């Protein structure tokens, strides 16, 4: 073989690397395409899971709010027209309050679940706000919960409350007035104080009972009822 022929034959393979690069690109493109194909369904399924998860969360919230608003029930048979049950209990400051202290006088008893939560605080502030109006209507006002005296006094001092706060830790007065009973919240049932207000007439009989009280505007409604007696 001549030198020229050897040179030509040695050049012939030089084109082969270029030819081999095309299949490499094709394989890379194929791999990229397959990767995209694999990622596509994954993203879609992730979105589907997210939507399903949010739907379940919304359902749980709806169920919780539904159970949280379940009505509370009291066992007491106290009704309007009944003789108001007698009581003798300690109040803030260490004194003792009895039903006999309010003989021949109208009396408002508002029972609140606990000292210092927002709803109880608004209610406890609203009644003192109308203290002069209640006095003009010949009506005394007492607040009652199961808190110990120290908690009642702290509550009084923090918010400058002027209404006497009674401590009924044994729940005797609460039960007698139907303010202690079964409550339901977030699917759990338990015994506790039911937000209740009782208006006792000067004759010592129950004139009005408000159960499952809504705080906003409640004190004003009780004042109007006291004025009408």
């Amino acid at each position: 073989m001549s030198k020229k022929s050897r040179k030509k034959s040695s050049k012939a393979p030089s084109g082969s690397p270029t030819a081999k690069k095309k299949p490499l690109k094709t394989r890379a493109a194929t791999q990229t395409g397959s990767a995209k194909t694999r990622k596509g369904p994954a993203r879609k399924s992730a979105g589907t899971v997210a939507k399903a998860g949010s739907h379940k969360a919304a359902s749980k919230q709806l169920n919780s709010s539904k159970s949280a608003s379940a009505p509370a029930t009291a066992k007491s048979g106290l009704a309007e027209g009944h003789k108001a049950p007698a009581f003798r209990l300690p109040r803030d400051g260490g004194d003792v309050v009895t039903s006999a202290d309010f003989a021949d006088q109208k009396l408002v008893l508002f029972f609140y679940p606990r000292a210092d939560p927002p709803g109880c605080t608004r209610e406890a502030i609203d009644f003192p706000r109308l203290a002069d109006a209640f006095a003009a209507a010949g009506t005394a006002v007492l607040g009652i919960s199961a808190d110990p005296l120290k908690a009642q006094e702290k509550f009084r001092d923090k918010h400058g409350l002027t209404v006497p706060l009674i401590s009924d830790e044994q729940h005797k007065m609460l039960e007698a007035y139907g303010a202690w009973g079964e409550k339901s919240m977030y699917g759990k049932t338990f015994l506790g104080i039911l937000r209740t207000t009782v208006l006792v007439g000067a004759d010592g009989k129950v004139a009005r009972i408000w159960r499952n009280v809504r705080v906003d505007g409640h004190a004003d409604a009780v004042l109007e009822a006291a004025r009408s007696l």
Side-chain angles (χ1 to χ4, degrees), residues 2-3 16 21 31 38 57 60 71 75 80 102 106 117 122 133-134 138 169 200 204 222:
S2 65
K3 291 182 179 179
S16 57
K21 287 181 182 176
Q31 288 174 357
R38 287 196 299 273
K60 286 180 181 178
K75 292 182 180 179
E80 295 175 3
F102 305 96
K106 289 179 282 187
R122 289 203 311 275
F134 275 109
E169 294 186 79
V200 181
V222 176

Side-chain angles (χ1 to χ4, degrees), residues 1-220:
M1 186 181 288
S2 65
K3 291 182 179 179
K4 288 182 179 181
S5 299
R6 284 198 299 272
K7 285 181 180 178
K8 283 182 180 180
S9 60
S10 63
K11 286 181 179 178
S14 63
S16 57
T18 307
K20 287 179 181 177
K21 287 181 182 176
K22 288 183 180 178
L24 286 173
K25 286 182 179 178
T26 305
R27 284 198 298 274
T30 306
Q31 288 174 357
T32 306
S34 62
K36 286 181 179 177
T37 307
R38 287 196 299 273
K39 285 181 181 176
R43 287 197 196 98
K44 193 171 182 181
S45 62
T48 306
V49 170
K51 286 181 181 178
S54 61
H55 177 71
K56 287 180 181 177
S59 300
K60 286 180 181 178
Q61 287 174 358
L62 287 173
N63 291 336
S64 296
S65 61
K66 200 170 183 181
S67 62
S69 60
T73 55
K75 292 182 180 179
S76 171
L78 187 69
E80 295 175 3
H82 287 188
K83 181 73 175 176
F87 59 86
R88 180 185 176 83
L89 289 167
R91 58 157 290 184
D92 60 305
D95 293 332
V96 173
V97 177
T98 72
S99 50
D101 297 336
F102 305 96
D104 303 321
Q105 184 180 3
K106 289 179 282 187
L107 175 64
V108 170
L109 303 168
F110 70 94
F111 300 88
Y112 57 97
R114 191 161 55 87
D116 217 30
C120 298
T121 300
R122 289 203 311 275
E123 185 177 20
I125 289 174
D126 274 352
F127 279 104
R129 175 177 60 82
L130 300 170
D132 292 340
F134 275 109
T139 308
V141 181
L142 299 176
I144 305 97
S145 77
D147 295 292
L149 285 178
K150 286 185 178 180
Q152 298 283 43
E153 290 166 357
K154 185 178 179 180
F155 184 38
R156 174 201 64 195
D157 295 341
K158 181 178 178 179
H159 301 286
L161 305 177
T162 56
V163 169
L165 301 178
I166 293 178
S167 175
D168 184 15
E169 294 186 79
Q170 302 302 316
H171 313 148
K172 290 182 179 179
M173 184 180 180
L174 292 165
E175 290 176 6
Y177 280 86
W180 180 264
E182 190 176 275
K183 302 174 77 171
S184 180
M185 186 175 289
Y186 303 117
K188 294 182 179 180
T189 303
F190 57 95
L191 291 175
I193 297 176
L194 314 176
R195 197 182 299 279
T196 305
T197 299
V198 177
L199 172 61
V200 181
D203 59 358
K205 293 182 179 179
V206 175
R208 285 286 303 275
I209 300 177
W210 291 264
R211 300 201 185 280
N212 300 314
V213 168
R214 291 180 178 273
V215 173
D216 294 338
H218 175 61
D220 297 273

